[in-house]
Amino acid sequence: MRILVTNDDGIHAPGLLELVRVLAPLGELIVIAPERQQSATGHGITLHKPLRMAPVKLGAPVQEAYATNGTPADCTILATADGRPAPDLVVAGINAGANLGEEVLYSGTVSAAMEAALQGINSFAISVTAYEDCEFATAAEFAGTLAGRMAGCDLPADTFLNVNVPSLPPDELGPATLTRLGRRRYINSLDRRVDPRGHSYYWFSGEPLECDCDEGTDIAAVRAGMISVTPVYFDMNFRGARRHLKELLDGLVE
Amino acid sequence: MRILVTNDDGIHAPGLLELVRVLAPLGELIVIAPERQQSATGHGITLHKPLRMAPVKLGAPVQEAYATNGTPADCTILATADGRPAPDLVVAGINAGANLGEEVLYSGTVSAAMEAALQGINSFAISVTAYEDCEFATAAEFAGTLAGRMAGCDLPADTFLNVNVPSLPPDELGPATLTRLGRRRYINSLDRRVDPRGHSYYWFSGEPLECDCDEGTDIAAVRAGMISVTPVYFDMNFRGARRHLKELLDGLVE
C-alpha cells in the first residue's frame, strides 16, 4: 500500500511524525507537507505562483519526503507529480486542534483528504482536540488501525472520514463512535489593532456561540471523551430545490 | 437593503464594477474585494498574518469600498468589522471563468457566498463562462434581477445560489434554468519547469476528463447556452453511513 501523509500544520509539526511512525509498517510512505503552517487555508490550490517541493530529511522511515510552498490540497495533487503512482490512501494530520462541524470547510488538513476523495482515493483526516501539549499517541494508534482497515476496503464515492480524538491519555480516552457533523456558529469578532506606522489591521478572534452539539454529533462525542469518526460526503446539491425555491425563482428559471 | 459585493478576481476586476452598476439602485453597497487575484483560494480565511483593508476609490456609486490582503471568505467576514451592520445580501462576482460542478470547492468567489450562507445571510455567486473578452452585461442584468428577488425572500438555511452565465450577447443567450452540480474529474497534470537558478517548479495544467454533464447539470445548461442557477447546500453529512461503512468500521466504532 502506497500512503501519502500530509497535514496543514507544516512539515515539522510533531503530529505528522507521529503519523509516519504508525503508518510506516503498513506500506510505502510519501510525505508531502507545507513548508509552514497552513491552517484554515480551506480547499485552496495554487494557480498563480510557481509551486515548489523540496526534498527534506525527516529522520523517519519514509521513502520520500518533501516540503512545499503550496496548500494541503496541493500536497495531494503533488503526490502524482513527475509520474509518481497515485497513493492508495491519503492520511492528513495529526492536526493540533479539532476540526469539528463546519470547520471541515476551513481546514487545510480536511481539504487534503477531500481532494483525495475527489480523485477517488481512500482518505481520512485526523485531529486531536488540543493545540498544545497534545496527546498524539492515542490518535496515532487509532490512525494506524483505521489505515490498516482501509487497505482492504474502499470508501463510498465522494466520501472521506474526518476523525477527531480527544487529547487524553489512553486510560481516560473513550471508545470511537460514528458521528455526524455538528454545527457551530462563530461570532466573527475582528480584533482591530494599529501597527507602528499608524495603519490598522485585524486578527480574527471568533468564538463559537450556538451549537448543534446534540448526541450523535462530532462535537458531542469529543466532549464526552470519545473519538468521533464522521463520514463526510461532498455532494452539495440541494434536494427539493424547485419546491423550496419556488417563490424566489418563479418565472426567473425554467 | 445593504449589499456586500465581493469577488476573487480582485478589486480592479471589470466584473466587479458591472455588479456594482446593476446593484447600486437596489440599496446601500459596500464593496470589499481582494487587492489581487485570489482564484482557487477555496474557503480559506486569514488567521496567521495581519488582515488589512484599505479604502479605495472605485469611481462608482458605492457607499464604501475596500481592498484587502485577505481571501474572498475574509471579505464576507470583514463586512461587519468595526461594528458595521451585517449585509442583507452578499453577491460575489462577476467571476471571469465558469464555476461548475465541484469547482465550487475551489472557487474563492463561491466561498465568499458560502461564508455568507454560513452566517445566515442570503447570497449568490455569479460567473461568466469566458476568461477574456467576457460578455458581462447579460450576467449583470440577471444578477440585478436575482438580487431584487432576494430582497423579499430568504433562502433555506445553509443554502446559496451558484449562477453561471454563458458569455454570449443577449440575443444568443438562452433562458435561465434550475440545475444541479455536475461533475468533472481533473487530470492534474503538473507542468514541471526549471527556473534560471536550476530549481524545478510546477504549474497546474489540469484538464477536465470525465463529466457528469447529463441534462439537469450546470455543465449541460451552460453548454446549451443557458444560465444555470444551482442551489448549493453545504450539509456534508453522509446519509446511511452505518450501513455503507459496516465492513470498514465494524468493531472499530460504537
Side-chain angles (χ1 to χ4, degrees):
Chain A
M1 179 159 64
R2 185 172 169 84
I3 307 174
L4 169 68
V5 182
T6 186
N7 73 357
D8 73 1
D9 287 334
I11 189 81
H12 300 297
L16 185 80
L17 290 176
E18 289 288 327
L19 266 189
V20 165
R21 182 179 58 76
V22 296
L23 298 177
L26 298 177
E28 185 184 356
L29 298 198
I30 176 169
V31 177
I32 308 177
E35 61 197 8
R36 57 182 180 80
Q37 171 67 260
Q38 290 267 5
S39 301
T41 48
H43 204 106
I45 55 173
T46 300
L47 298 182
H48 300 291
K49 66 179 183 185
L51 181 62
R52 297 179 186 268
M53 61 176 193
V56 291
K57 296 271 185 213
L58 278 189
V62 299
Q63 275 63 41
E64 300 183 80
Y66 302 92
T68 173
N69 63 341
T71 65
D74 286 334
C75 293
T76 299
I77 296 169
L78 283 167
T80 53
D82 302 319
R84 287 178 182 82
D88 304 298
L89 174 64
V90 173
V91 183
I94 300 169
N95 196 68
N99 281 306
L100 299 166
E102 74 272 29
E103 290 164 354
V104 298
L105 291 170
Y106 301 98
S107 164
T109 297
V110 173
S111 293
M114 193 184 296
E115 179 61 35
L118 273 166
Q119 296 180 27
I121 300 170
N122 271 346
S123 64
F124 65 91
I126 184 160
S127 310
V128 292
T129 60
Y131 290 99
E132 290 179 15
D133 301 323
C134 298
E135 185 78 44
F136 284 120
T138 45
E141 187 189 352
F142 190 80
T145 305
L146 187 55
R149 289 286 185 101
M150 283 195 176
C153 197
D154 280 340
L155 285 170
D158 300 343
T159 303
F160 64 95
L161 300 181
N162 183 42
V163 180
N164 283 276
V165 183
S167 185
L168 293 171
D171 58 333
E172 293 175 33
L173 185 66
T177 181
L178 190 65
T179 49
R180 61 179 168 84
L181 296 169
R183 192 69 194 277
R184 290 172 166 177
R185 285 187 192 279
Y186 276 83
I187 297 303
N188 289 300
S189 67
L190 289 158
D191 180 1
R192 183 183 181 149
R193 302 191 185 182
V194 176
D195 72 19
R197 290 169 298 133
H199 298 140
S200 61
Y201 64 97
Y202 302 85
W203 291 112
F204 283 148
S205 52
E207 287 297 319
L209 180 69
E210 307 168 62
C211 292
D212 169 13
C213 50
D214 295 346
E215 195 175 331
T217 63
D218 49 2
I219 298 171
V222 299
R223 275 196 190 152
M226 295 160 80
I227 300 173
S228 72
V229 178
T230 312
V232 180
Y233 177 61
F234 51 77
D235 176 346
M236 300 201 289
N237 278 303
F238 182 82
R239 316 294 168 189
R242 193 168 293 278
R243 182 166 44 89
H244 283 94
L245 301 175
K246 191 173 187 324
E247 187 187 351
L248 178 68
L249 298 178
D250 192 38
L252 195 62
V253 301
E254 285 201 328
Chain B
M1 182 161 59
R2 184 171 170 84
I3 307 173
L4 169 68
V5 181
T6 187
N7 73 358
D8 74 1
D9 287 334
I11 189 82
H12 299 297
L16 184 81
L17 291 175
E18 289 288 327
L19 267 189
V20 166
R21 182 179 59 75
V22 296
L23 298 177
L26 297 177
E28 186 184 354
L29 298 199
I30 176 169
V31 177
I32 307 178
E35 61 197 6
R36 60 183 178 81
Q37 172 67 258
Q38 290 268 8
S39 302
T41 48
H43 204 105
I45 56 174
T46 299
L47 297 182
H48 300 290
K49 65 178 186 186
L51 181 62
R52 296 178 187 270
M53 62 177 193
V56 291
K57 296 273 185 212
L58 277 187
V62 298
Q63 274 63 38
E64 299 183 80
Y66 302 92
T68 173
N69 64 341
T71 65
D74 287 332
C75 292
T76 299
I77 295 169
L78 283 168
T80 52
D82 303 319
R84 289 177 180 82
D88 305 296
L89 174 65
V90 173
V91 183
I94 302 172
N95 195 67
N99 281 306
L100 300 165
E102 75 272 28
E103 290 164 355
V104 298
L105 290 169
Y106 301 97
S107 165
T109 297
V110 172
S111 293
M114 193 183 296
E115 180 61 36
L118 272 165
Q119 296 181 26
I121 300 170
N122 271 346
S123 64
F124 64 92
I126 185 162
S127 309
V128 293
T129 60
Y131 290 98
E132 290 181 14
D133 301 324
C134 299
E135 186 78 44
F136 284 119
T138 45
E141 188 189 352
F142 189 81
T145 306
L146 186 56
R149 288 285 185 101
M150 282 195 176
C153 197
D154 279 340
L155 285 170
D158 300 341
T159 303
F160 64 96
L161 300 180
N162 183 42
V163 180
N164 283 275
V165 184
S167 185
L168 293 170
D171 58 334
E172 292 175 32
L173 186 65
T177 182
L178 190 65
T179 49
R180 62 181 168 85
L181 296 169
R183 193 69 195 276
R184 288 171 167 178
R185 286 189 190 278
Y186 276 82
I187 296 305
N188 289 300
S189 66
L190 289 158
D191 182 359
R192 183 183 181 150
R193 301 192 185 181
V194 176
D195 73 17
R197 291 167 299 132
H199 299 140
S200 61
Y201 63 98
Y202 301 86
W203 291 112
F204 283 149
S205 52
E207 288 295 322
L209 180 69
E210 307 169 61
C211 292
D212 169 13
C213 51
D214 294 346
E215 195 174 330
T217 63
D218 49 1
I219 298 170
V222 300
R223 276 196 190 152
M226 294 160 79
I227 299 172
S228 71
V229 178
T230 311
V232 179
Y233 177 62
F234 52 77
D235 177 346
M236 300 202 287
N237 278 305
F238 182 83
R239 315 294 170 191
R242 196 167 290 278
R243 183 165 42 90
H244 283 95
L245 301 175
K246 190 173 186 328
E247 189 188 350
L248 178 68
L249 298 178
D250 193 37
L252 195 62
V253 300
E254 284 203 326

